[in-house]
Amino acid sequence: MAAPMSEAAEGIPSGSEPGAAPFGNFPNYSRFHPPEGRVRLLPPALLGRLFPAGPSPLLGLDVGCNSGELSVALYRHLLGLQENEASPDQPVVRKILNLLCCDIDAALIERAERCSPFPGSISYATLDVMDTGARELFLSSYLSRFSRSTFDIGFCMSVTMWIHLNHGDDGLVEFLSYLSSLCKYLLIEPQPWKCYRAAARRLRKLGRNDFDHFRSLAINGDMAERITQILTEDGAMELVCCFGSTSWDRSLLLFKSKRVTQKQL
């Protein structure tokens, strides 16, 4: 077993009660895993390469957006906007992106809405993506506004572990299957297995019950590999590219739906 990590090294504010956020809804997450650590791994012209003649606007979905800092950073980076640019009217890649961001925590969503520099292009919603009835109603309603049935690109950044711990192996598989049916492209940052152990240890440290499913998870080990297997084994998606790993040892994996005919990277 790996040596225990400090709370700061795990991306948890020192002196807080991280076990009180069993869904990963940490209030200061971006201070410890800054958005720049992810976006610097992505090609700045990625949207232009994935959608050379694609639809307008492009529709994006960010699942588990926390308080929106990473969502905004992804939006800026993928459209080629500089940090001080607050208008998407003239993006470098000449694409229009409407990004829908959701999180289970209403307080985080409220903060994201309050601080968003792109209220006309980035929208936020409180949503439990594992509530099948709520997600179907809300997301289908959003897509219907654009006469679409799928999102062009989805983002799932350090979310899979929390789905897995709270909903078990079946929940993780169902979640990934749902995203693969909903998105033409899917960018995932899976947490490695050592993060699962750290999350369970934090909960026990606070004298709380362990995650219901932690000790019974059969899907374990190399989580980037296991998630790749889940997404590709039924032929729904294929792995396009691994953009490398962050300084906190998480891979950025881009998958493509088999329904997409555009050229790969």
Side-chain angles (χ1 to χ4, degrees), residues 27-82:
N28 299 301
Y29 182 79
S30 64
R31 296 183 189 176
F32 295 86
H33 289 335
E36 296 76 15
R38 281 95 163 213
V39 298
R40 66 176 178 80
L41 298 174
L42 301 174
L46 181 60
L47 287 184
R49 296 169 70 174
L50 296 181
F51 305 99
S56 184
L58 294 172
L59 300 183
L61 174 67
D62 186 6
V63 177
C65 66
N66 198 267
S67 52
E69 288 88 350
L70 179 56
S71 309
V72 171
L74 285 167
Y75 182 85
R76 288 188 189 278
H77 185 78
L78 294 174
L79 289 181
L81 298 173
Q82 298 301 313

Side-chain angles (χ1 to χ4, degrees), residues 29 38 156-162 189-191 248 250:
Y29 182 79
R38 281 95 163 213
C156 182
M157 312 298 282
S158 287
V159 171
T160 51
M161 178 183 76
W162 303 109
E189 178 193 35
Q191 292 103 320
W248 52 92
R250 297 184 193 175

Side-chain angles (χ1 to χ4, degrees), residues 97-130:
L97 174 64
N98 284 8
L99 183 59
L100 173 62
C101 309
C102 59
D103 197 274
I104 197 172
D105 191 312
L108 292 175
I109 288 296
E110 191 278 331
R111 191 203 309 175
E113 291 178 323
R114 187 173 65 248
C115 301
S116 176
F118 304 106
S121 302
I122 304 179
S123 54
Y124 296 93
T126 303
L127 179 68
D128 179 358
V129 75
M130 296 304 288

Side-chain angles (χ1 to χ4, degrees), residues 187-240:
L187 184 69
I188 294 189
E189 178 193 35
Q191 292 103 320
W193 187 250
K194 64 183 179 182
C195 292
Y196 285 66
R197 295 197 300 263
R201 185 171 59 248
R202 289 196 302 268
L203 216 57
R204 292 193 299 269
K205 189 177 178 181
L206 289 174
R208 304 190 178 198
N209 292 331
D210 210 341
F211 290 99
D212 290 342
H213 299 277
F214 176 61
R215 298 188 183 280
S216 63
L217 296 178
I219 299 173
N220 54 42
D222 186 336
M223 291 309 299
E225 181 178 335
R226 299 303 302 273
I227 284 172
T228 297
Q229 290 173 347
I230 293 168
L231 284 170
T232 60
E233 66 183 3
D234 64 353
M237 303 199 94
E238 59 184 305
L239 179 64
V240 176

Side-chain angles (χ1 to χ4, degrees), residues 25 114 140:
N25 49 324
R114 187 173 65 248
S140 62

